[in-house]
Amino acid sequence: MKWGLVPHWSKHEDNTLRTINARSENLVKGGGMWGSIKGRKRCAVPCEGYYEWLKKGKEKLPHFTKRQDGKLMLLAGLYDCVTLEGQTKPLWTFTIVTTDANEESRWLHDRQPVILSTDMSLQVWLDTTSKIWTSELSKLVEPYSDMNSPLTCYQVSKEVGKIGVESATFIQPVSQREDGIQAMFAKQQGKGSPSKRKRSLSPKFVEISPRPSPSKVRKYKEHISPPSASTNVIDFCEGGDEPRKPKVEKLNTWEDDSETEYVDGSSQSDSEIPNHESRKGKAKLGHMKVSGNG
DNA sequence: CCAGACGTTGTT
DNA sequence: GTCTGG
DNA sequence: CCAGACGTTGTT
DNA sequence: GTCTGG
């Protein structure tokens, strides 16, 4: 299952219609490419939270938003499945529904994923038996306002924005990293030889694979990548109920190949679309399970 | 009728 | 798939 | 050090 | 190619 929904009527890979987000306004409005999907193929996307880049002039400061209670967040999503011409394997993809940012998070960005915070909302969203969009669903995709499940948001390391680098530590507050005790300690240790300093200053993350050169990445973006931008970058983790430390089962590598499991017990290899996309979506950081009918 | 469009966020 | 414009 | 940016109009 | 921000 890959982030970036490819509609089931697609013949070939079409990056312009591979959407990472679906605007709730367009679901409510009706018509368009969501018409044939929104009534039948809704899913929930579990994650620790989502990244958003605060634009401060020229600066782009990544922030992480999550539930204050530390439980997994469930985002409203749509999914689809298509076997493209010349392919044998079906391609499973999903998109995340966005809505206006609520007042509390508007300082950060004008959009926000739709968060399913109650059993009720989850049930309603995942119930596709009617196969149609209802006014009840339209209510669900309004800006987040569940006072019983408050969110929290804080700045995180800019490392998260680097191509080809992944770490569960990216969801930690920047105050505990760049400015914090760890960094101080690292600097002290490095006082001696330059080589030691270099080593001790950057164990903030584990570099999994060689970072491609900017030019390569640029080419890669131009030719292969899905929509050039994503607002909501998600770290997916294993499903579950208990709050826990982010557990990274399988970090992305440039030639990563992971399996996605589905509720029906089947699984699919994720090898076709290489890392740039997963890097954008971080959809392969750990395993993701998709709930819903189909 | 048929061909063509259908999307999102934002340079992560 | 489904709607719209020509 | 090295990844990433590298522009211009704007006001009409 | 070259500069700069982190």
Side-chain angles (χ1 to χ4, degrees), chain A residues 55-73:
Chain A
K55 285 198 279 188
K56 253 191 156 182
K58 289 181 181 178
E59 302 285 293
K60 279 160 290 175
L61 305 171
H63 287 67
F64 192 68
T65 301
K66 64 177 188 178
R67 293 172 60 116
Q68 247 173 44
D69 61 14
K71 290 182 181 174
L72 280 184
M73 192 180 262

Side-chain angles (χ1 to χ4, degrees), chain A residues 142-278:
Chain A
E142 282 172 9
Y144 190 68
S145 63
D146 185 357
M147 306 309 288
N148 294 319
S149 302
L151 307 178
T152 182
C153 178
Y154 48 81
Q155 195 179 332
V156 296
S157 168
K158 283 192 149 188
E159 304 284 350
V160 71
K162 288 189 179 177
I163 304 277
V165 180
E166 297 294 349
S167 170
T169 63
F170 292 164
I171 67 173
Q172 293 170 1
V174 70
S175 56
Q176 289 178 14
R177 292 162 55 72
E178 270 78 353
D179 307 327
I181 291 166
Q182 288 182 358
M184 294 285 282
F185 186 58
K187 273 175 190 166
Q188 297 253 328
Q189 272 192 329
K191 258 189 168 176
S193 73
S195 59
K196 265 192 180 174
R197 176 160 62 248
K198 190 175 185 182
R199 197 171 287 238
S200 54
L201 276 175
S202 45
K204 286 179 284 190
F205 58 88
V206 181
E207 196 151 337
I208 302 302
S209 61
R211 194 176 301 169
S213 70
S215 59
K216 271 192 181 173
V217 170
R218 208 168 297 129
K219 270 187 186 165
Y220 198 85
K221 277 184 182 176
E222 285 166 10
H223 298 303
I224 304 175
S225 89
S228 65
S230 74
T231 300
N232 307 306
V233 181
I234 315 297
D235 268 337
F236 297 104
C237 293
E238 287 186 305
D241 301 319
E242 296 304 313
R244 77 182 90 68
K245 289 181 185 173
K247 181 183 171 189
V248 180
E249 267 202 353
K250 186 169 185 179
L251 287 166
N252 297 327
T253 66
W254 204 246
E255 277 96 25
D256 186 17
D257 186 4
S258 63
E259 289 272 320
T260 298
E261 296 166 21
Y262 301 101
V263 285
D264 65 3
S266 68
S267 71
Q268 183 200 5
S269 169
D270 282 337
S271 56
E272 295 85 1
I273 298 184
N275 195 270
H276 182 66
E277 196 222 25
S278 62

Side-chain angles (χ1 to χ4, degrees), chain A residues 126-138:
Chain A
L126 294 183
D127 180 9
T128 55
T129 51
S130 77
K131 309 293 182 202
I132 60 166
W133 186 263
T134 63
S135 59
E136 203 176 8
L137 291 163
S138 292

